[in-house]
Amino acid sequence: MKKHVISTLAGAAILAGSVSAQAAGELNFYNWTDYTPDDLIEKFEKETGINVTMDTYDSNETLLAKLKSGAVGYDLAVPSSNFVSIMVSEGLLEEVDVKSMPNYKNVDPRWQGPAWDPEQKYTSPYQYGTTSFAVRTDAADVTCESLKTFFEPEGEACGNVSVFATPEEVASMAALYLGQPYCDDRSDSLKAMQKLLQTQNKCVKVYSSEGMIDRVATKTVTVTNAWNGDAMRARLEGTPIEYCYPKEGLVGWFDSLVIPKGAENYENAKTFMNFLMEPENMAMVSNFARYSNAIPASTEFLDPELATAPEANVPDGIEVRVSETCGPKFVKSIDKIWTKLRQ
Ligand code: N2P
């Protein structure tokens, strides 16, 4: 009965337009580009009467810089696991008792209390996946076999490569290729990484963390840095593309919802966290962005091709090494290397 009254009110609120939006409030959602399905936002607005405003970023680095600059105005953001601990230690996140939310029971036990948030005090799950590179299958001189194609491309591939515009994920891939541990701040390791990134730089056409799907579709590039979901979307749109599982391995990541410090609409952000742990809602994100999620009961709402897609299934024997939180010395050094590279 109570539920009925609430939904009637929400319905009335929507009919009343902007006045109602004010009544139910606002939610300012800051997420990666191309990561939030419109239909999910519409469903949330309809069910809650809360009016959502979206803003987007291209990388963890951009998100971190924005939060550090004291930018207020965001109620929800989506960092990757290795950035959560930085944000927590810098006091950039609100605490939130995710475990007490009604839909928390839907989270796969193996993703409950994850390493980056053991008490589930700051994060609720969004999506997880891998970072690698992808190639146009109709292009010359490209192969998925090794990260060599990405870092030291030869022939026609050189000059037709697109690389993410921020160093963290690229450095992790370089570490895999060079056989280094992640975040290795010894000077010899840093020198080797710098040399490799300079070699790659000669073959790079575009540095960008957005628009990969279009650049490959139009054959602007034939080799591209890629997340598995974007590569799957490109393939489903008809682009001859292969997401690569190089023998040196891939970078793994897990993205979560967090509430930035000082969020004005804290309660609405919590409402969204709980909403997204509903299987049907989480499935909407995976069906759009094409990544895996931590809500097992969402499976029945998922497009069947997700279960078998090569982009979502790592072949046996290929390592996925989960990205780590690097120390300040490494971050400073790689920033310096990167800045020089991009001059
Ligand atoms: C999709 C963003 C993927 C997030 N465009 C990678 N962590």
Side-chain angles (χ1 to χ4, degrees):
M1 187 61 189
K2 205 168 164 206
K3 204 169 170 204
H4 175 72
V5 173
I6 290 169
S7 57
T8 309
L9 279 179
I14 288 151
L15 287 177
S18 61
V19 179
S20 69
Q22 271 172 15
E26 302 288 327
L27 178 71
N28 296 302
F29 189 2
Y30 195 33
N31 198 355
W32 299 72
T33 308
D34 239 1
Y35 209 19
T36 325
D38 290 344
D39 54 356
L40 177 85
I41 297 302
E42 280 158 26
K43 186 167 185 276
F44 177 76
E45 290 183 325
K46 224 185 225 162
E47 281 178 22
T48 63
I50 295 166
N51 184 42
V52 180
T53 304
M54 291 301 307
D55 193 7
T56 56
Y57 52 85
D58 67 342
S59 63
N60 283 305
E61 285 97 329
T62 305
L63 167 62
L64 179 63
K66 195 72 164 239
L67 297 187
K68 272 171 99 165
S69 76
V72 277
Y74 296 121
D75 303 312
L76 267 184
V78 191
S80 301
S81 45
N82 56 336
F83 276 68
V84 169
S85 57
I86 304 175
M87 292 175 182
V88 170
S89 65
E90 303 213 6
L92 297 171
L93 304 181
E94 290 286 349
E95 282 195 22
V96 46
D97 187 8
V98 175
K99 274 198 267 189
S100 71
M101 293 182 179
N103 283 336
Y104 184 67
K105 61 177 186 310
N106 297 329
V107 177
D108 190 335
R110 79 184 168 111
W111 293 117
Q112 292 188 4
W116 55 92
D117 187 15
E119 291 169 63
Q120 208 86 54
K121 262 194 335 199
Y122 299 98
T123 65
S124 70
Y126 196 75
Q127 301 266 287
Y128 66 90
T130 56
T131 306
S132 181
F133 69 103
V135 298
R136 287 267 318 195
T137 52
D138 59 356
D141 304 318
V142 300
T143 139
C144 271
E145 201 213 321
S146 162
L147 280 165
K148 187 174 193 324
T149 304
F150 181 62
F151 284 113
E152 302 180 286
E154 287 170 351
E156 279 183 36
C158 185
N160 288 304
V161 180
S162 129
V163 177
F164 288 156
T166 54
E168 184 255 328
E169 287 180 287
V170 182
S172 296
M173 288 173 69
L176 290 173
Y177 184 49
L178 294 168
Q180 298 176 359
Y182 286 161
C183 311
D184 186 350
D185 60 15
R186 289 172 296 185
S187 71
D188 282 358
S189 304
L190 288 165
K191 266 187 206 134
M193 191 166 283
Q194 177 164 27
K195 198 164 159 244
L196 182 65
L197 296 180
Q198 280 166 347
T199 304
Q200 182 190 43
N201 181 258
K202 297 191 187 90
C203 297
V204 174
K205 187 181 258 178
V206 191
Y207 284 98
S208 169
S209 303
E210 296 167 317
M212 178 287 263
I213 295 175
D214 284 346
R215 270 192 305 279
V216 180
T218 53
K219 221 174 175 177
T220 306
V221 297
T222 58
V223 179
T224 184
N225 220 168
W227 296 297
N228 62 307
D230 277 4
M232 179 171 173
R233 287 171 67 178
R235 179 174 59 79
L236 293 178
E237 285 169 18
T239 299
I241 184 175
E242 180 178 351
Y243 184 66
C244 294
Y245 289 102
K247 60 178 186 227
E248 299 89 353
L250 292 83
V251 181
W253 47 264
F254 190 109
D255 295 342
S256 304
L257 289 171
V258 296
I259 306 183
K261 199 77 180 175
E264 272 176 40
N265 303 293
Y266 178 81
E267 287 304 320
N268 290 349
K270 278 172 61 181
T271 301
F272 191 91
M273 282 179 156
N274 186 57
F275 168 85
L276 195 60
M277 289 186 286
E278 188 72 45
E280 190 184 344
N281 298 335
M282 187 57 96
M284 289 170 85
V285 184
S286 290
N287 284 337
F288 169 78
R290 306 285 176 188
Y291 298 100
S292 307
N293 72 64
I295 307 288
S298 71
T299 311
E300 68 167 298
F301 304 101
L302 290 180
D303 294 344
E305 59 260 50
L306 265 167
T308 53
E311 297 86 355
N313 292 283
V314 181
D316 284 346
I318 298 290
E319 184 196 9
V320 174
R321 209 199 293 172
V322 177
S323 52
E324 291 168 22
T325 307
C326 297
K329 184 175 168 206
F330 180 84
V331 174
K332 238 177 138 173
S333 308
I334 194 73
D335 277 352
K336 233 166 123 185
I337 291 171
W338 194 260
T339 306
K340 214 166 158 201
L341 193 74
R342 301 292 310 279
Q343 269 166 5

